[in-house]
Amino acid sequence: MKRVATVPDLRSAVASFREKGQRVAFVPTMGALHAGHLALVEQARRVAGKVVVSIFVNPKQFGPGEDFDRYPRDLEADAEKLREAGADLLFAPAVDVMYPPGFATTVHVAGVSEGMEGARRPGHFDGVATVVARLLGLVLPDVAVFGQKDAQQCAVVMRLVKDLGLPVEVLVAPTVRESDGLAMSSRNAYLSPEERKAAPALFRALLATQLVHEIGERKAEKLLAAFRTAISAEPRLELDSVDLVDAATMRPVEKVDRPVLLAAAVRVGRTRLIDNVVFGG
């Protein structure tokens, strides 16, 4: 696996893939890699001859008081994991490479970015859309792979790619979970043993709500109430937010008569965890 940190080196490496007629897949990450990220790399390997992975902790998507400085970073360990997973190229730029002096562009994707996490974390999805647009413009992949755990982010990226007519296919891979159901996340490393034991209650509450739908409930208010009841069974989890939205538009629904996304965030100690399930329709 080759490792580069500058735009000219990145473009030169990708051009060498293109000269051989190879299809290029791209997996953007912020590092602190776990099995969920490596599953995205595996998905990329299945659909392309060459796999490019980026590691960049994007300051533009962290708000004031969020965990940018605390976010786990271990580039050497991450590079070894990617090498073992079969990635072909790692792009690990510094902040001034991604955002050179004078950088003045912000990408805003209206609609899908404005509710849910977008409303609770102002500017977050502008930061996501800006860095994704920049990375796609630098790598120019045939396909880019994202994870379902960040469902609203996926919707933002798909809208961005469609609206700008970018020649890239967006694939969304299923959430990878621990054996007890906890969605794999770099932030799981923040959890104490007691918090880690409590954290899977988030996924159990999502599944319990999905079951309520499967046995006949269609009203959003009743399903949201069922989720709140289920999550309250674990006192170490503090509910931060829960939304039931159209799975395509990210707009709230009053009843489940189409595919919907049930997405929730909880605080476990100092750590904020997110998860979701899709059902209906």
Side-chain angles (χ1 to χ4, degrees):
M1 181 186 73
K2 186 174 182 179
R3 183 164 141 186
V4 298
T6 69
V7 171
D9 287 346
L10 170 67
R11 287 179 167 157
S12 175
V14 174
S16 70
F17 300 156
R18 297 289 187 199
E19 289 169 1
K20 298 171 184 175
Q22 292 168 314
R23 181 172 162 88
V24 175
F26 175 50
V27 181
T29 83
M30 293 205 302
L33 302 182
H34 50 67
H37 295 108
L38 301 181
L40 302 183
V41 174
E42 291 171 9
Q43 175 71 19
R45 284 178 54 80
R46 287 194 288 269
V47 298
K50 293 293 182 179
V51 177
V52 180
V53 180
S54 66
I55 293 179
F56 178 64
V57 183
N58 177 31
K60 290 184 178 292
Q61 68 189 70
F62 289 80
E66 295 188 344
D67 59 346
F68 175 72
D69 292 331
R70 194 165 71 106
Y71 198 85
R73 296 165 171 86
D74 191 341
L75 183 58
E76 296 307 319
D78 287 343
E80 183 58 31
K81 291 175 184 177
L82 291 173
R83 189 175 294 108
E84 292 175 357
D88 299 286
L89 178 64
L90 168 59
F91 178 47
V95 173
D96 61 358
V97 171
M98 286 300 296
Y99 304 121
F103 189 94
T105 298
T106 297
V107 179
H108 175 70
V109 180
V112 292
S113 74
E114 293 170 351
M116 303 168 64
E117 292 290 279
R120 287 180 283 269
R121 301 175 65 190
H124 170 69
F125 284 119
D126 287 358
V128 169
T130 300
V131 77
V132 170
R134 174 105 170 107
L135 286 167
L136 293 178
L138 294 175
V139 179
L140 299 175
D142 298 290
V143 57
V145 186
F146 295 82
Q148 169 65 26
K149 183 175 77 70
D150 298 302
Q152 190 174 11
Q153 173 178 284
C154 293
V156 169
V157 171
M158 288 189 286
R159 186 80 256 174
L160 165 74
V161 166
K162 182 175 181 179
D163 287 354
L164 297 185
L166 301 180
V168 56
E169 178 186 1
V170 177
L171 294 183
V172 179
T175 300
V176 178
R177 301 184 180 278
E178 303 282 2
S179 60
D180 57 6
L182 178 64
M184 290 190 176
S185 168
S186 300
R187 290 184 170 92
N188 292 348
Y190 299 158
L191 301 174
S192 70
E194 295 77 15
E195 291 166 348
R196 173 62 185 82
K197 184 177 180 180
L202 172 56
F203 185 49
R204 292 198 298 270
L206 291 168
L207 291 181
T209 307
Q210 182 175 351
L211 180 60
V212 172
H213 166 264
E214 290 173 355
I215 62 177
E217 184 57 68
R218 297 293 181 269
K219 292 182 179 179
E221 61 181 304
K222 296 285 185 67
L223 292 167
L224 291 169
F227 176 84
R228 292 187 180 97
T229 298
I231 203 70
S232 67
E234 175 46 74
R236 284 171 289 189
L237 268 58
E238 177 188 353
L239 180 60
D240 188 73
S241 64
V242 60
D243 298 279
L244 188 66
V245 299
D246 183 296
T249 67
M250 302 289 121
R251 295 295 190 185
V253 298
E254 294 185 357
K255 63 179 180 178
V256 179
D257 56 2
R258 73 203 86 167
V260 296
L261 174 79
L262 178 65
V266 297
R267 294 194 181 276
V268 192
R270 296 176 58 198
T271 305
R272 187 175 188 267
L273 301 177
I274 64 171
D275 203 352
N276 63 78
V277 293
V278 176
F279 57 84

